[in-house]
């Protein structure tokens, strides 16, 4: 193994300590080990770097040159490692993030201006999709996931929890009537998702038992934003996580239905990321900034 940096470090410490024995004490080594390292260095370079005597060490001309250049190179190594470990004065680089469309537009996007102000050298590469991304295959740094986590070697920070609501617009209900029981939904236009893991089933409580109603409608889409807009437009009834629906319900654009039949399904929301506790500064800065603010959003 090439250990030139280690030999260089020992040489600099010997010069600064003024003796092999003192350098050995400072580096928790034996004087003989230090002496052998310096001898090996000189043999590799083919020059004498220092003159030894019983009282003191004296650098040769080549030794002075090697000492000065070694100080510069070792300083650069320290600076490089510090920048990687701490991100330098500012985190910088690209953070690739993926999120569902609705959570991204409602919870993540509004935080970006303040994040860029705090971290002007970080570039966010944001992809919004309700399909589940593979963090390794797609070189994603952070994924915001809603729902049960699959077993994996990914790390996770919990953001919060969300529950699902069934809603429709007042205009739709005026035309088609308001469902009073889960069974009534069979006669309504229930809009849903078309991605692979989606099931056209809404689990609800009926007469003290949980029933999974197979429902259908005139529209299947791959994101919650489109469902929300279509519901507001009066196209049909939808079932979405509550963070999609707060604004429209507060503004009267949507009305919650069958709340008494809700089975209390709660989905966890996590930020997933690759690696361990040794995160790049750009990724750590993104998580530390975004997670507490998204937690506040879900409360």
């Amino acid at each position: 193994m090439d250990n030139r940096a280690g030999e260089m470090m020992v040489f600099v410490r010997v010069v600064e300590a003024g003796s092999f024995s003192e350098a050995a004490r400072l580096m928790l080594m034996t004087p003989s080990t230090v002496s052998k390292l310096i001898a090996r260095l000189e043999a590799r370079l083919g020059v004498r770097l220092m003159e030894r005597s019983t009282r003191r060490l004296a650098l040769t001309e080549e030794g002075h040159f090697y000492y000065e250049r070694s100080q510069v190179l070792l300083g650069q190594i320290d600076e490089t490692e510090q920048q990687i470990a701490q991100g330098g004065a500012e985190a910088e680089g690209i953070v690739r993030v993926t999120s569902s469309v609705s959570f991204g537009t409602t919870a993540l996007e509004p935080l970006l201006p303040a994040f860029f102000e705090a971290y002007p050298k970080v570039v966010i590469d944001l992809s919004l999709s309700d399909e589940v991304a593979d963090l390794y295959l797609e070189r994603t740094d952070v994924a915001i996931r809603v729902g049960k986590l699959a077993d994996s070697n990914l790390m996770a920070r919990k953001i919060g929890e969300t529950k699902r609501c069934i809603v429709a617009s007042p205009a739709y209900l005026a035309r088609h009537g308001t469902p009073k029981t889960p069974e009534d939904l069979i006669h309504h236009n229930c809009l849903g998702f078309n991605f692979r893991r989606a099931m056209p089933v809404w689990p609800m409580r009926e007469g003290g038992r949980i029933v999974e109603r197979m429902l259908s409608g005139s529209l299947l889409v791959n994101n919650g934003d489109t469902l929300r807009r279509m519901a507001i437009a009066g196209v049909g009834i939808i079932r979405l996580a509550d963070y999609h629906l707060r604004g429209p319900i507060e503004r009267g654009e949507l009305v919650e239905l069958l709340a008494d039949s809700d089975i209390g399904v709660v989905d966890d929301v996590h930020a997933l990321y690759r690696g361990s506790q040794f995160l790049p500064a750009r990724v750590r800065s993104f998580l530390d900034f975004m997670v507490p603010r998204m937690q506040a959003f879900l409360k």
Side-chain angles (χ1 to χ4, degrees), residues 52-213:
R52 292 108 164 142
S53 71
T54 56
R55 294 187 177 181
R56 66 184 182 89
L57 299 175
L59 293 178
T60 64
E61 184 176 346
E62 292 82 5
H64 278 292
F65 177 79
Y66 190 77
Y67 173 68
E68 291 173 357
R69 295 300 300 270
S70 296
Q71 284 184 307
V72 173
L73 292 173
L74 291 173
Q76 290 175 341
I77 291 173
D78 287 342
E79 181 181 358
T80 299
E81 291 187 348
Q82 188 175 30
Q83 286 181 348
I84 291 174
Q86 301 177 359
E90 295 180 88
E92 58 182 294
I94 299 175
V95 181
R96 293 177 175 85
V97 182
T98 182
S99 170
S100 66
V101 176
S102 295
F103 194 88
T105 55
T106 58
L108 183 55
E109 283 183 11
L111 299 175
L112 289 177
F115 177 82
F116 292 134
E117 186 174 349
Y119 299 98
K121 294 185 178 180
V122 175
V123 175
I124 301 298
D125 183 339
L126 178 62
S127 298
L128 300 182
S129 172
D130 283 9
E131 292 286 356
V132 175
D134 187 308
L135 272 69
Y136 290 96
L137 291 178
E138 301 183 25
R139 296 175 59 237
T140 300
D141 294 302
V142 180
I144 309 300
R145 298 268 173 86
V146 180
K148 184 178 180 180
L149 296 180
D151 291 335
S152 74
N153 58 355
L154 296 172
M155 307 295 288
R157 290 193 194 180
K158 186 173 180 179
I159 296 173
E161 298 175 344
T162 181
K163 70 182 187 72
R164 301 182 194 185
C165 301
I166 298 173
V167 296
S169 71
Y172 175 89
L173 298 176
R175 292 195 308 272
H176 301 283
T178 300
K180 303 298 184 183
T181 68
E183 188 176 4
D184 293 341
L185 291 173
I186 299 173
H187 308 293
H188 285 269
N189 192 28
C190 297
L191 315 181
F193 291 103
N194 62 8
F195 40 79
R196 290 186 298 273
R197 70 184 192 280
M199 296 289 292
V201 173
W202 292 0
M204 287 170 286
R205 192 180 308 279
E206 294 184 48
R209 61 192 182 96
I210 296 175
V211 175
E212 293 187 338
R213 286 286 177 187

